[in-house]
Amino acid sequence: MSPHRVVFLDAATLPFPLSFDASLGIRYEAFESTSAQALAGRIDGAEIVITNKVRLDAAQLRRASALKLICVAAAGTDNIDLTTAAALGIGVHNVPDYGSESVAEHVIASLFALRRELRAYASAASDGRWGRSPHFCWLGPSIHDLAGSVLGIVGRGRIGQATARKARALGMQVLFAQTPGKPCADDEREIDSLLADVDAVSLHIPLTPATRGLIDARRLGLMKPQAVLINTGRGALVDPFALAQALRTGVIAAAAIDVLEQEPPRAGHPLLAPHLKNLLLTPHVAWASQGAQQRLATRLVELVTGHVKAAQTAPTATAT
């Protein structure tokens, strides 16, 4: 039995190692990262390719004559040419639900951090301002409760729904926005109308031509001055220059951003400016709880193992 060659092109994006049953004849190679120059050589002869963010376009797929399955170690598949893969009979499987709870918890944590000004008060406790206070406490920026506030959610997929459940449990009112490009449901609000009425908005939609630059200067201007923006979806949903300007000038109170349009960002990115004290910027880690990483690793192993077992038990054609 020939070994089933499996390659993980950017295994450093998932710290949990993948382990396969030795009896299945899987030859597994994990590369920390794969450059565009090395890609063709690494997928040549591979039956199964695992990728998180490495792109596989039409030309690369056509050259990979042995390729039967692509496992995307993420919830989306926008780095794969799905049309070409389907035409070549290459299966493509993502892992859509491994991180829903992790991302939703990150959103709620961000809401607490921003609405209760946790970073500002933590700094005051350690930089001497509390010690110089004539009172038992030090009061600075306004602290806002989550309970009773209004959260607008753009995107009604697994993560959007998980976020809504957690927000309601905290006593927040949840409003869903109409998904761009889709009819507006009875319990949804047109996005411009929603932005004007919420205390916080959280983005959970995929990046499409209809959603690129969804939150621009005009829409930021529709929000309340005390409102906050959270983006754990895709970086390009938000215009970073418009957001930086809105934060500097007080158009909105604060933002928590976990994703950027280019990752990692280059020096000079507008949201890396050191004076944006009302920006909580994290390096694309909303998904990355230990539980979510374990679920992702387990599901990838299941996808690979299922394909290999099916290939081994499939009847072989016989000459007539």
Side-chain angles (χ1 to χ4, degrees):
M1 180 177 64
S2 300
H4 301 269
R5 183 166 177 258
V6 179
V7 297
F8 196 157
L9 297 174
D10 46 358
T13 62
L14 179 59
F16 276 78
L18 306 186
S19 179
F20 300 99
D21 185 342
S23 67
L24 293 175
I26 293 173
R27 181 159 65 92
Y28 175 59
E29 299 173 72
F31 300 98
E32 287 196 359
S33 62
T34 296
S35 65
Q37 295 74 23
L39 179 57
R42 289 182 177 176
I43 65 176
D44 182 35
E47 180 179 342
I48 302 171
V49 166
I50 304 171
T51 175
N52 186 322
K53 293 293 185 287
V54 177
R55 301 190 65 84
L56 295 173
D57 62 23
Q60 292 154 352
L61 293 176
R62 292 192 185 101
R63 285 194 296 265
S65 58
L67 187 58
K68 301 298 181 186
L69 176 67
I70 300 169
C71 297
V72 183
T77 56
D78 48 308
N79 57 327
I80 310 298
D81 187 320
L82 297 176
T83 301
T84 301
L88 295 173
I90 300 170
V92 178
H93 289 285
N94 59 334
V95 186
D97 199 27
Y98 72 93
S100 297
E101 298 300 324
S102 179
V103 176
E105 288 188 10
H106 184 96
V107 172
I108 299 301
S110 298
L111 283 169
F112 275 118
L114 298 181
R115 297 280 291 169
R116 300 196 65 85
E117 294 282 359
L118 294 182
R119 291 181 301 159
Y121 281 101
S123 295
S126 60
D127 66 11
R129 283 178 288 174
W130 188 19
R132 294 191 297 270
S133 172
H135 309 293
F136 71 96
C137 65
W138 180 89
L139 291 176
S142 297
I143 298 171
H144 298 280
D145 295 328
L146 294 190
S149 65
V150 182
L151 173 64
I153 295 178
V154 187
R156 300 192 73 163
R158 294 178 178 88
I159 297 174
Q161 295 287 358
T163 301
R165 289 194 300 272
K166 297 180 191 304
R168 290 186 180 116
L170 293 168
M172 301 184 76
Q173 179 186 355
V174 174
L175 300 178
F176 280 102
Q178 175 188 6
T179 300
K182 294 185 178 181
C184 190
D186 291 341
D187 62 342
E188 293 178 343
R189 296 272 297 275
E190 192 276 328
I191 189 167
D192 285 3
S193 170
L194 177 138
L195 289 173
D197 289 341
V198 299
D199 300 301
V201 63
S202 188
L203 306 181
H204 302 287
I205 49 176
L207 181 63
T208 68
T211 62
R212 182 178 292 274
L214 181 74
I215 304 300
D216 56 11
R218 183 186 70 82
R219 285 197 165 120
L220 287 165
L222 297 175
M223 297 173 65
K224 299 176 182 178
Q226 69 270 28
V228 302
L229 169 70
I230 299 173
N231 186 18
T232 56
R234 289 291 183 264
L237 298 174
V238 177
D239 179 337
F241 294 95
L243 177 58
Q245 179 67 7
L247 292 171
R248 279 194 297 267
T249 58
V251 171
I252 64 172
I257 302 295
D258 186 58
V259 287
L260 296 176
E261 70 283 2
Q262 179 179 353
E263 296 172 339
R266 293 177 179 173
H269 190 283
L271 297 184
L272 296 179
H275 58 276
L276 293 176
K277 304 301 183 185
N278 50 350
L279 172 65
L280 176 60
L281 183 64
T282 50
H284 204 145
V285 293
W287 66 277
S289 71
Q290 291 292 292
Q293 292 187 43
Q294 180 63 74
R295 286 189 292 274
L296 177 55
T298 298
R299 184 62 182 136
L300 290 171
V301 170
E302 290 173 349
L303 288 170
V304 171
T305 299
H307 169 86
V308 169
K309 287 182 176 179
Q312 291 176 352
T313 58
T316 55
T318 56
T320 59

